[in-house]
Amino acid sequence: MIRYTKTTILAVALLFVAAACEEPVQEIFDGVTPEELAQSTDPALIDVLKASAYNRIIGTWGGHNSLWSMHEVASDEMVVTHKGADWEDGGQWIRMHRHEYNAQEEAINNGWGYCYTAIGDMNLLIQQNPNVTALVAELKILRSLVYLWLIDAYGNVPIVLSTDTDATPPTRTRADVFTFIESSILDNISELPTENTKTTLNQWSARAILAKLYLNAEVYTGSARWADAEAQIDLIINSGVFSLENNFFSNFVTNNENSSENILTLPYDENNANGFNIAQMTGHYSTQATFDLQDSPWNGYASLEEFYNAYETNDARRNSFLAGPQFALDGSPLTDDNAEATDPDGPGLNFTPEINELAPNSFRQAGVRVGKFEYRVGATPNLSNDFPIFRYGDILLMKAEVMHRQGNTAGALNYVNQIRSRSGIAALTTLTDDILLAERGREMFAEGYRRSDLIRFGKYNDAWWAKDASNPSVNIFPIPQGQLDANPDLVQNPGYN
Amino acid sequence: MSVGFQGALLAQTKTVTGTVTGGDDGLGIPRVNVTVKGTTRGEATNLDGTFSIQVAATETLVFSFVGYIAQEILVGTQTTIDVVLQPDYNELDEIVVVGYGSQEKKEITSAVASIKPEDFNNGNISNPTQLLQGKVAGLSITRPGGDPNGGFNIRLRGISTFGGNQSPLIVLDGVPGADLGNVDPNDIASIDVLKDGSAAAIYGARGSSGVILITTTKGNSGEGISNISVNTFASIEQKTLNKISSLSGDEFVARGGLDLGSRTDWVDVVTQDAFSYATNVSLSGSMGGTSYRASVNYRNNEGIVKGFKNERLNTRLNVTHNAINDRLRLSANVNLTNGSYGAKNNGLFDFALTYNPTAPIFDDGTLSQNSLGGYFQTLASSDYFNPEALRREQNFSGTNKTILASFRGEFDVTDDLTVAIQYNQDRFNGLNANSFSKSDFAYGGPRGGVAGRTTDDRFTEIITGTLNYNTQITDDLTANFLIGAERQTITAEGFGLQTRQFLFDSFGANNLGAGALVTGPDTNYYSYKNQNILNSAFFRANLSFQGTYFLSASVRSESYSGFGDNEKTGYFPAVSAGAELTEIADLGPISQLKFRVSYGITGALPGSADLALPIFRNGGRIDLDGDANTTDDQFIAPRQSQNANPTLKWETKKEFNVGFDFAVFDGKITGSTDYYTRNIEDLIFNVPVPIGAPNPFDAGNFNTVGSTFVNLADMRSAGFEFSASINGLKLGPVSWTPSFNFTIYDKTTIEKLSVGDGLGFEELRGGNLGAPGQNNTQIILNTVGETLGNFVGAKFIGIDENGQYVLEDANGVRGASASDFALDDLAVIGNALPDADFGINNAFQYNNWDFSFFLRGSVGHDLYNSFRSFYENQDASTGAWNSVVTDKTPVVTASPTFSDLYIEDATFIRLDNLQLGYRVPSNSEWIENINVYFAAQNLFTITNYTGLDPEVRYTDGGNPLVPGMERRNTFIPTRSFTLGVKLNIK
């Protein structure tokens, strides 16, 4: 009897053990799997996913420590000085100004991540909806825009398609990437609408991508494509869809969605599309009182004295800066209680164009600040101004440039003077490379193109302010070290170790 | 035991009386068994040790009691027999709780440490792990700073995993995974620590960080109420800033700082002497065959910063019932815990030391450019706030309730075979509130006031069945077999809401509907639900040959729902063997020398159960037409929040341990020593992957996040542990029991940081210093082949005549600031992990007095002193921040930059606990004993470290790859004094 009881109990125990060895399944209650996404029949889903892909692009373009910062601080139009206890940040911004950046820079890694995260999202979307032709076409061209940013900043980058399976995509040459961008757009442009859709791609913004690509073709591939650039630019101009705004700043105010001049914008929004933090990045701590900003700014970015002084006194665009004595919203003058004792300017808050030094003790108040975009009263750190990626004013100057480079300087002057007269300054009678570059600088300040312009005009390696002459190898940024570590098939750009 | 008069009398009996006293303290011992040898007759001694028994002159009385050496005395002609029982220091017969059962200490072949209540620390103890602090070699329990809500960092033998479960598994009365907050220190009967891999392997996948078994006190079997005890104490806590302070207002102005006219000591303003108290009442007894113990514990701890507090009411009922001749044993443990906490923004510790000491607390706008809420605030810097305003205007609080119920039934099918089944339920609910008022300049003010509530529900269910079989295989060989199965399901649900723009601050978070904005920045709403399942089966065999040779083997298989399809099951075997050498040969004064060797494999669970799966969660809000007025086109886009990895599997730790348990001079000296090596493989780690590239682990998918959780790393560490105590020493009339333990670490080394096809790296940097001005500066470097937690930086040479730093890199190149050097040129300037930990306890006893003090320390670890690193320099040009002052402050006017000047050796020895107690003599019938005690905690610390607290930091914000960082939001450490009474009532 006891023996049977023992055996029974043992048998029950073994059954119990066997049941416990069953492999449990992980149930998900608060998320969806890719299969569920693919099977969804809600027509809104695809539109939402596409809008989400655009949201990735909006991301950190207008924010600190990413692509925009790299382009601006490495150029001669902006600087972030080391102000004593603030803004040393491992020396990143000093190196950025002096063209001594290395593969460990945080901003350079962030810029890369920002681009490839967007590409990953787009590839996933293309791969899940291969039969929705219009969607696929639009996403491929959107992807090309991101590749335009990559080819401009990093040069030799991997190309990842939605059908790729290689987990370690190899580096491709700048020329290969150029061809890829060109063909992606040309193959798909006919699927895009011709309406002026502003915040999403249409045929005109797609042509603007091509125009920028061809404009910089000599830099990217070694062979110039001025005529091809001109062909695209002409299509945009002749469409009649865009025109110059009478007031330069209408393109940059908080509610600039109706600008007739902006071609493609990133629709930042303080509620739903965060990332445009320029007021925080450039304002002095006390600038909070000037615009009743929600949070105190960080006192980082300023423009260079030489760049600011290149504006004629009656150039309307001179208001692109916050300069001189600063005031609170009620008109009372602002003071900086913690101004340096050695600042000859004293405690009254005054943005002087002169900056005493790059490092280590740049004065807190030194340097004119970015004022091109409207800071609405009571703004949160995330502004709602739409950021123009392509603008008709830029297209006109590009038209001038390609004409000038192909020998038609008289025709070029026409277009340059349209821009100048809009801003209330006298027409030019002669045009040289330097004059054209300077006009582009004044018009396109803070829109992220200065570095590319300097490179194209062969001036990027010149010395300016606290920077010595630099080696042409710095014309492309290094591939971030973290990416090299994660992907052994990537090759570092020449000149960096 | 109260046995009646039984049996036939063969000879004339007489009444014999006497007293049984203890040889250690001379006091009467109650409940000693006084039995007549060879019969079933016997009595128990009374409360004072006296007894009276009928016995014949030819009979022998046997006096026995747990923990004392039994004595036999022939009655003879005596009518009064007084007996002195000597304490039995030989703990071999002690029963030690091991996984799923218990074993006699002499048979244990793994490294297990057992702590009894008499060894526990005393004082203002709010967390059970404080009872063990420094008592077990290899177990490090630290809580940097004095936060009453603060969790303790518990590490057994160093780092075992990178993931979520870095602390040992807590098993409470057989329930694995319990929360320490649910058991009150007054209810604990013993704590056993399973230190090595072979002991913990029976817990398989959760055992890698070690296992701590807590057993609560059960009822006694004596009929009626056998014990009522009351413990109560009150405690006062004060801040101790170690060696750091900041300039006073006058000193600040004298040095050139901005003088705003007042003199404010901000640290004093925000701190207070904190008052805490606790009371425990417990009752145990039995009725019929049922014994019970009920207890109620109440604790109320205030923090030294006003607004931090922690309150807890814990009730417990343990009931056991034996039936069918004790063959059926049923027990139920029900435990309810109700707690609440209050907290403030930890950023105020930073500002308390660095806010301008000449600024007033309040201002009506005459002095400051912004006087929101009537406080002084300045616009002169970002992220720089009046600490008292921050303290008053931001509030964080919450309540939590836990119900733990566990039911167990054991049945002896035969004398050898026992079947047991246990069912446990743990229901936790937490409700949190946070509010940022409209006068909060730092956050809530500009946003119109922000408030939110979150709630979390977690339901854990565990069912375990075991079969236990004892057998005598031959005369010399006994065996015990255990087979069992367990299933654990954890379901968690919760939701949260945050709104802003209020008209009234008085609601706090009580009326979220009064906030006008529910969507947009600084608002949030969410809910979640997740579940994971762990199935396991285990087997163990213990063999004992001639009471001299012992062998134990076990294996556990574990299946977890959170791993990929092919990786769900892991196997965790262990084997250990030992021999009692004194049974083999006579070793003279050595009365016990057990040699043991063991090897075991344990696993570790990942931090979340979803890491293997490609899940889409919530991305941003999309308004398809961009027009906020049309709402039928607004959606929340799904976004993939992590890259899936279905190949994710168990981390495994393989540990080898060899050691001795010894007793010398008949147990006058006892102790143990262990040497262990551990190899931890496949550590789960969030590794950077090529963003945008195809996901190699999930074909057809792309990396939409820059990192993926993979089994990436291998680590290795080793150590030597030693503990000993000397019992029954006499210094004249005073008895002295010293004990000490230490662990010497062979620090954790990283063996590998890669997985398969080239995904991986040679080094990992971490420990970014932060703002202002020291972003993008990472000071921790972990390199393959080197010790974890190395600091890298420039060496500080001196200050030049201009007050600038002179720094030097590994190649002798000099510079003035950290950014002058390339990362690869920097030398290793320190390491965050300790070389050794030690604890020394001394207990003295004289008559009714007892006195003990306990020292604890760590040797050889370095810490990054963030306060000095940011705020030591004279901010000569602006006088914006106050400076911290220590005995290491150099005279430098350059802006702060990192160098080895801020990596300090934090070796310390601390008087952790000191206690003086008095046992009040009582002749009262109903008071069994009264103990009054005075205790002090953290009385003093001897160290060269000038930061806030020299304790080892094992993690930085939960990341174990960045140890050694003392951040600027460290809670100010405290010292406390406690007065308490323990009362036992009969």
Side-chain angles (χ1 to χ4, degrees):
Chain A
M1 188 59 195
I2 291 177
R3 195 182 307 138
Y4 288 137
T5 312
K6 273 193 191 175
T7 317
T8 319
I9 295 215
L10 210 54
V12 168
L14 284 171
L15 267 172
F16 192 10
V17 167
C21 289
E22 155 229 341
E23 294 202 332
V25 174
Q26 180 74 5
E27 251 188 284
I28 300 294
F29 298 94
D30 55 9
V32 289
T33 59
E35 292 75 36
E36 284 172 303
L37 261 189
Q39 286 160 14
S40 163
T41 52
D42 190 340
L45 181 61
I46 292 189
D47 288 337
V48 168
L49 289 172
K50 185 182 78 163
S52 185
Y54 272 95
N55 259 7
R56 284 286 203 194
I57 301 286
I58 292 171
T60 53
W61 177 265
H64 171 58
N65 213 13
S66 186
L67 263 189
W68 187 87
S69 300
M70 288 158 57
H71 283 303
E72 292 294 339
V73 179
S75 77
D76 66 352
E77 72 179 15
M78 259 195 244
V79 71
V80 178
T81 58
H82 174 187
K83 306 173 181 67
D86 209 356
W87 285 106
E88 185 189 2
D89 287 0
Q92 176 175 239
W93 308 113
I94 314 299
R95 288 191 294 274
M96 203 67 79
H97 176 78
R98 292 197 182 128
H99 289 188
E100 290 168 1
Y101 29 82
N102 58 49
Q104 314 272 9
E105 307 293 2
E106 210 181 345
I108 292 180
N109 193 36
N110 289 342
W112 179 285
Y114 161 59
C115 292
Y116 275 102
T117 308
I119 291 172
D121 257 6
M122 290 177 224
N123 279 338
L124 192 56
L125 198 50
I126 295 172
Q127 188 219 64
Q128 286 178 334
N129 301 284
N131 302 320
V132 186
T133 339
L135 173 70
V136 170
E138 187 172 353
L139 288 172
K140 285 186 174 173
I141 297 183
L142 188 62
R143 192 176 61 187
S144 308
L145 174 60
V146 182
Y147 271 104
L148 179 68
W149 295 338
L150 285 169
I151 197 180
D152 190 69
Y154 302 95
N156 309 301
V157 299
I159 298 174
V160 185
L161 303 174
S162 60
T163 48
D164 278 351
T165 53
D166 183 358
T168 53
T171 299
R172 305 288 290 272
T173 61
R174 219 174 188 186
D176 280 351
V177 180
F178 183 99
T179 315
F180 169 65
I181 298 174
E182 184 184 16
S183 58
S184 284
I185 301 178
L186 292 174
D187 288 345
N188 292 291
I189 193 169
S190 54
E191 296 286 339
L192 291 180
T194 51
E195 289 76 33
N196 187 0
T197 52
K198 279 270 176 331
T199 59
T200 58
L201 283 169
N202 52 52
Q203 292 201 12
W204 315 116
S205 34
R207 296 202 182 282
I209 303 176
L210 276 176
K212 280 287 181 190
L213 187 71
Y214 291 136
L215 185 72
N216 289 299
E218 190 169 23
V219 175
Y220 298 158
T221 66
S223 356
R225 304 272 294 262
W226 308 119
D228 288 329
E230 189 166 15
Q232 298 299 327
I233 293 169
D234 284 343
L235 284 168
I236 298 174
I237 296 177
N238 296 336
S239 75
V241 176
F242 307 98
S243 60
L244 286 180
E245 287 275 339
N246 286 332
N247 180 354
F248 176 70
F249 293 101
S250 339
N251 299 314
F252 309 106
V253 294
T254 307
N255 297 316
N256 58 347
E257 52 273 8
N258 292 321
S259 149
S260 61
E261 193 174 328
N262 288 340
I263 298 175
L264 179 68
T265 59
L266 301 180
Y268 284 106
D269 181 69
E270 70 178 29
N271 289 323
N272 299 328
N274 289 348
F276 191 21
N277 309 132
I278 185 67
Q280 308 303 113
M281 289 152 64
T282 191
H284 183 278
Y285 313 111
S286 303
T287 304
Q288 183 177 17
T290 307
F291 300 99
D292 194 23
L293 298 175
Q294 185 186 83
D295 287 347
S296 178
W298 314 328
N299 201 22
Y301 294 67
S303 186
L304 274 78
E305 183 177 5
E306 195 179 335
F307 189 84
Y308 178 67
N309 289 338
Y311 285 79
E312 297 166 43
T313 29
N314 54 337
D315 188 339
R317 298 169 302 184
R318 206 155 200 256
N319 290 324
S320 299
F321 302 90
L322 298 175
Q326 298 297 302
F327 302 91
L329 206 52
D330 62 4
S332 53
L334 287 173
T335 54
D336 178 3
D337 282 340
N338 291 326
E340 294 85 348
T342 45
D343 186 349
D345 220 23
L349 187 58
N350 182 2
F351 294 145
T352 56
E354 314 93 78
I355 308 177
N356 58 324
E357 63 185 19
L358 176 64
N361 291 308
S362 178
F363 295 140
R364 288 152 60 104
Q365 302 175 38
V368 298
R369 306 307 162 95
V370 180
K372 187 170 188 173
F373 293 92
E374 178 193 18
Y375 304 142
R376 102 178 147 76
V377 170
T380 71
N382 295 299
L383 300 176
S384 292
N385 318 36
D386 295 354
F387 191 103
I389 295 292
F390 298 122
R391 180 160 69 83
Y392 192 59
D394 189 7
I395 298 291
L396 293 180
L397 283 175
M398 285 162 68
K399 170 76 169 164
E401 184 175 342
V402 297
M403 292 177 80
H404 168 70
R405 292 196 186 263
Q406 291 176 95
N408 183 356
T409 304
L413 265 173
N414 234 337
Y415 287 96
V416 174
N417 288 331
Q418 280 185 48
I419 295 295
R420 287 179 64 94
S421 89
R422 186 264 293 267
S423 287
I425 41 179
L428 292 171
T429 50
T430 55
L431 191 64
T432 63
D433 278 6
D434 286 349
I435 294 177
L436 187 54
L437 176 63
E439 197 61 48
R440 279 196 63 82
R442 289 186 288 270
E443 176 75 13
M444 302 302 295
F445 170 63
E447 294 183 51
Y449 286 113
R450 182 64 177 168
R451 173 184 154 271
S452 319
D453 290 346
L454 287 169
I455 292 174
R456 191 170 65 253
F457 280 83
K459 299 287 182 193
Y460 187 67
N461 306 117
D462 287 357
W464 61 70
W465 197 45
K467 163 197 176 307
D468 295 331
S470 55
N471 190 300
S473 64
V474 304
N475 293 6
I476 45 176
F477 289 104
I479 310 296
Q481 188 60 44
Q483 299 303 322
L484 292 173
D485 289 342
N487 180 354
D489 287 347
L490 286 183
V491 176
Q492 181 56 278
N493 283 329
Y496 301 104
N497 49 352
Chain B
M1 173 179 86
S2 205
V3 179
F5 213 79
Q6 288 177 338
L9 302 175
L10 298 178
Q12 187 186 10
T13 60
K14 57 183 173 179
T15 303
V16 167
T17 60
T19 311
V20 181
T21 53
D24 49 353
D25 56 7
L27 299 172
I29 309 176
R31 288 184 235 109
V32 173
N33 297 316
V34 185
T35 51
V36 182
K37 189 167 182 177
T39 74
T40 53
R41 290 152 42 218
E43 298 285 346
T45 56
N46 298 317
L47 293 171
D48 53 4
T50 54
F51 70 92
S52 170
I53 192 168
Q54 291 291 325
V55 70
T58 53
E59 292 178 310
T60 302
L61 287 174
V62 180
F63 299 84
S64 68
F65 190 62
V66 166
Y68 291 86
I69 303 175
Q71 285 192 40
E72 298 181 3
I73 298 180
L74 179 62
V75 173
T77 56
Q78 303 169 89
T79 54
T80 306
I81 299 178
D82 289 327
V83 180
V84 178
L85 290 185
Q86 297 299 334
D88 184 3
Y89 299 113
N90 187 332
E91 302 161 328
L92 293 179
D93 296 330
E94 247 179 59
I95 302 294
V96 174
V97 180
V98 297
Y100 300 100
S102 57
Q103 242 185 328
E104 277 187 25
K105 192 172 169 87
K106 69 174 188 234
E107 295 192 358
I108 292 193
T109 46
S110 313
V112 178
S114 201
I115 317 290
K116 293 288 181 294
E118 47 268 23
D119 301 322
F120 290 163
N121 290 318
N122 269 307
N124 182 1
I125 305 280
S126 52
N127 183 304
T129 50
Q130 282 175 288
L131 301 170
L132 296 180
Q133 221 166 0
K135 296 290 163 73
V136 177
L139 185 64
S140 153
I141 298 172
T142 59
R143 185 186 68 181
D147 187 352
N149 300 316
F152 282 80
N153 281 319
I154 312 171
R155 293 284 177 278
L156 184 63
R157 294 184 168 177
I159 298 172
S160 315
T161 174
F162 295 151
N165 303 308
Q166 294 164 23
S167 300
L169 176 72
I170 307 293
V171 177
L172 178 61
D173 287 334
V175 183
D179 191 317
L180 280 171
N182 295 326
V183 59
D184 192 278
N186 283 310
D187 293 337
I188 298 180
S190 71
I191 301 183
D192 299 274
V193 183
L194 305 182
K195 297 205 293 184
D196 70 359
S198 69
I202 193 73
Y203 286 101
R206 290 163 292 175
S208 264
S209 299
V211 182
I212 298 182
L213 301 162
I214 300 183
T215 312
T216 58
T217 313
K218 307 294 188 296
N220 291 331
S221 51
E223 187 62 32
I225 295 180
S226 55
N227 181 267
I228 301 177
S229 72
V230 177
N231 289 345
T232 184
F233 69 79
S235 199
I236 193 156
E237 214 168 340
Q238 300 176 318
K239 64 180 184 291
T240 127
L241 284 170
N242 196 24
K243 295 182 170 190
I244 202 169
S245 63
S246 42
L247 299 176
S248 73
D250 289 331
E251 290 166 337
F252 180 72
V253 172
R255 202 198 55 182
L258 177 69
D259 188 350
L260 293 164
S262 308
R263 297 291 180 262
T264 315
D265 183 340
W266 291 103
V267 174
D268 267 355
V269 167
V270 298
T271 57
Q272 61 179 358
D273 285 342
F275 182 63
S276 306
Y277 56 94
T279 304
N280 155 263
V281 179
S282 72
L283 174 70
S284 64
S286 67
M287 292 183 312
T290 309
S291 61
Y292 59 86
R293 183 172 184 280
S295 68
V296 177
N297 306 289
Y298 176 75
R299 289 175 187 282
N300 191 322
N301 283 327
E302 251 185 3
I304 48 140
V305 174
K306 304 170 200 168
F308 281 89
K309 57 182 191 285
N310 192 293
E311 194 181 353
R312 196 164 66 229
L313 177 68
N314 174 295
T315 58
R316 174 175 288 277
L317 177 66
N318 291 348
V319 178
T320 56
H321 178 83
N322 296 350
I324 316 180
N325 267 345
D326 283 357
R327 291 175 79 93
L328 177 65
R329 296 175 292 280
L330 302 170
S331 68
N333 298 343
V334 179
N335 166 240
L336 276 78
T337 309
N338 230 309
S340 72
Y341 72 90
K344 300 287 180 179
N345 189 328
N346 282 16
L348 66 84
F349 298 114
D350 185 350
F351 305 126
L353 276 173
T354 58
Y355 210 70
N356 190 327
T358 66
I361 305 176
F362 303 104
D363 181 58
D364 57 3
T366 39
L367 258 189
S368 59
Q369 287 161 315
N370 186 312
S371 60
L372 188 63
Y375 300 101
F376 174 87
Q377 298 282 3
T378 176
L379 289 183
S381 249
S382 61
D383 197 31
Y384 187 59
F385 307 112
N386 179 332
E388 179 65 6
L390 190 63
R391 193 190 66 75
R392 293 190 189 194
E393 304 300 333
Q394 291 192 0
N395 287 298
F396 308 93
S397 62
T399 59
N400 51 71
K401 303 173 208 3
T402 310
I403 303 176
L404 231 68
S406 134
F407 306 96
R408 183 181 174 84
E410 283 180 9
F411 179 62
D412 293 335
V413 180
T414 69
D415 283 341
D416 316 326
L417 185 64
T418 307
V419 63
I421 191 155
Q422 181 162 347
Y423 173 74
N424 314 298
Q425 244 197 31
D426 174 346
R427 288 182 181 272
F428 167 83
N429 174 272
L431 180 66
N432 307 296
N434 55 65
S435 64
F436 308 84
S437 81
K438 297 195 294 179
S439 301
D440 174 33
F441 180 63
Y443 181 72
R447 292 160 175 78
V450 182
R453 275 204 183 268
T454 64
T455 181
D456 300 284
D457 242 38
R458 194 180 58 243
F459 177 52
T460 309
E461 218 175 1
I462 305 179
I463 182 161
T464 314
T466 56
L467 205 59
N468 200 305
Y469 180 59
N470 288 312
T471 179
Q472 188 99 24
I473 302 179
T474 72
D475 275 344
D476 292 327
L477 184 63
T478 57
N480 169 275
F481 298 100
L482 171 77
I483 187 168
E486 191 167 86
R487 181 182 172 95
Q488 171 184 289
T489 309
I490 301 181
T491 310
E493 302 178 70
F495 93 99
L497 173 67
Q498 179 171 295
T499 64
R500 66 181 181 98
Q501 195 97 328
F502 291 85
L503 281 174
F504 304 102
D505 274 331
S506 53
F507 297 135
N510 297 328
N511 185 357
L512 295 181
L517 300 177
V518 191
T519 59
D522 302 303
T523 63
N524 197 10
Y525 57 92
Y526 68 86
S527 72
Y528 69 88
K529 177 172 176 174
N530 57 61
Q531 184 183 75
N532 64 68
I533 301 174
L534 192 63
N535 278 344
S536 24
F538 50 91
F539 170 77
R540 178 171 63 204
N542 291 328
L543 299 166
S544 162
F545 182 68
Q546 289 181 343
T548 308
Y549 301 99
F550 311 100
L551 179 70
S552 175
S554 72
V555 66
R556 181 169 176 129
S557 89
E558 202 101 69
S559 286
Y560 184 58
S561 60
F563 289 130
D565 280 339
N566 295 331
E567 305 290 352
K568 287 196 195 239
T569 306
Y571 296 94
F572 304 101
V575 65
S576 60
E580 176 51 61
L581 300 178
T582 54
E583 301 279 350
I584 303 172
D586 182 0
L587 297 175
I590 302 179
S591 50
Q592 179 206 354
L593 184 65
K594 187 162 91 225
F595 167 76
R596 40 182 176 74
V597 63
S598 71
Y599 180 77
I601 302 181
T602 52
L605 291 171
S608 147
D610 289 342
L611 300 179
L613 301 171
I615 305 298
F616 284 74
R617 293 223 154 81
N618 301 333
R621 173 180 288 267
I622 303 287
D623 188 341
L624 282 175
D625 67 359
D627 178 1
N629 293 322
T630 56
T631 54
D632 59 353
D633 62 345
Q634 290 188 17
F635 298 95
I636 305 292
R639 172 167 292 175
Q640 189 159 48
S641 51
Q642 68 199 22
N643 304 322
N645 180 4
T647 66
L648 200 65
K649 61 179 189 227
W650 301 99
E651 298 182 3
T652 52
K653 172 170 71 73
K654 301 176 178 163
E655 186 164 332
F656 168 77
N657 190 95
V658 62
F660 286 95
D661 295 324
F662 59 85
V664 187
F665 301 126
D666 266 335
K668 286 284 164 58
I669 303 178
T670 57
S672 67
T673 177
D674 283 277
Y675 173 75
Y676 66 88
T677 67
R678 11 161 75 180
N679 284 296
I680 311 173
E681 294 169 9
D682 290 330
L683 284 148
I684 296 177
F685 184 68
N686 205 8
V687 59
V689 291
I691 307 181
N695 184 347
F697 303 107
D698 188 16
N701 211 332
F702 293 89
N703 292 333
T704 52
V705 180
S707 55
T708 307
F709 282 92
V710 300
N711 298 92
L712 184 81
D714 285 357
M715 290 201 300
R716 194 205 147 264
S717 67
F720 175 75
E721 296 166 354
F722 183 84
S723 69
S725 78
I726 306 176
N727 309 302
L729 280 181
K730 287 280 195 208
L731 302 173
V734 178
S735 77
W736 177 33
T737 307
S739 63
F740 65 95
N741 68 74
F742 65 83
T743 312
I744 300 176
Y745 298 104
D746 180 5
K747 300 187 201 186
T748 309
T749 313
I750 304 171
E751 305 270 278
K752 181 175 83 115
L753 280 175
S754 57
V755 60
D757 45 358
L759 195 67
F761 11 55
E762 282 303 303
E763 61 180 36
L764 275 176
R765 291 182 190 266
N768 187 26
L769 297 188
Q774 297 193 61
N775 270 320
N776 208 21
T777 309
Q778 295 181 304
I779 64 172
I780 294 274
L781 174 64
N782 295 309
T783 313
V784 174
E786 304 288 328
T787 309
L788 191 90
N790 277 337
F791 290 105
V792 286
K795 287 196 174 48
F796 173 75
I797 303 296
I799 308 280
D800 71 10
E801 61 274 8
N802 300 323
Q804 303 293 308
Y805 288 102
V806 179
L807 306 176
E808 193 174 278
D809 71 8
N811 305 322
V813 174
R814 297 212 166 169
S817 126
S819 44
D820 289 345
F821 304 107
L823 283 175
D824 293 334
D825 291 336
L826 296 173
V828 172
I829 51 178
N831 184 284
L833 299 179
D835 289 324
D837 286 331
F838 64 89
I840 305 171
N841 190 53
N842 285 286
F844 300 91
Q845 193 184 13
Y846 172 63
N847 281 349
N848 289 339
W849 292 91
D850 66 86
F851 173 70
S852 67
F853 67 89
F854 176 61
L855 295 156
R856 175 176 67 85
S858 295
V859 178
H861 59 292
D862 297 315
L863 283 181
Y864 162 68
N865 186 334
S866 65
F867 277 101
R868 283 187 61 212
S869 162
F870 278 90
Y871 301 127
E872 181 170 73
N873 300 6
Q874 200 169 314
D875 194 35
S877 49
T878 72
W881 299 296
N882 197 352
S883 301
V884 305
V885 188
T886 65
D887 59 9
K888 291 200 165 94
T889 301
V891 178
V892 57
T893 52
S895 48
T897 189
F898 178 71
S899 70
D900 71 349
L901 188 59
Y902 303 114
I903 302 296
E904 299 184 38
D905 183 350
T907 299
F908 73 93
I909 178 167
R910 169 169 280 172
L911 181 60
D912 227 13
N913 197 286
L914 178 140
Q915 179 176 319
L916 179 66
Y918 179 68
R919 183 183 186 145
V920 178
S922 161
N923 294 322
S924 167
E925 280 230 5
W926 52 276
I927 296 184
E928 199 169 309
N929 53 53
I930 307 180
N931 278 322
V932 178
Y933 66 92
F934 164 79
Q937 281 158 279
N938 195 12
L939 257 190
F940 65 78
T941 308
I942 301 177
T943 180
N944 284 331
Y945 180 63
T946 60
L948 272 182
D949 192 333
E951 290 279 12
V952 177
R953 306 301 201 276
Y954 280 105
T955 66
D956 181 39
N959 181 359
L961 287 166
V962 184
M965 310 284 288
E966 176 173 273
R967 294 285 190 182
R968 287 167 288 164
N969 59 2
T970 303
F971 204 107
I972 297 174
T974 61
R975 160 185 310 146
S976 68
F977 302 98
T978 306
L979 203 57
V981 177
K982 290 190 194 187
L983 189 64
N984 274 321
I985 299 172
K986 175 61 179 94

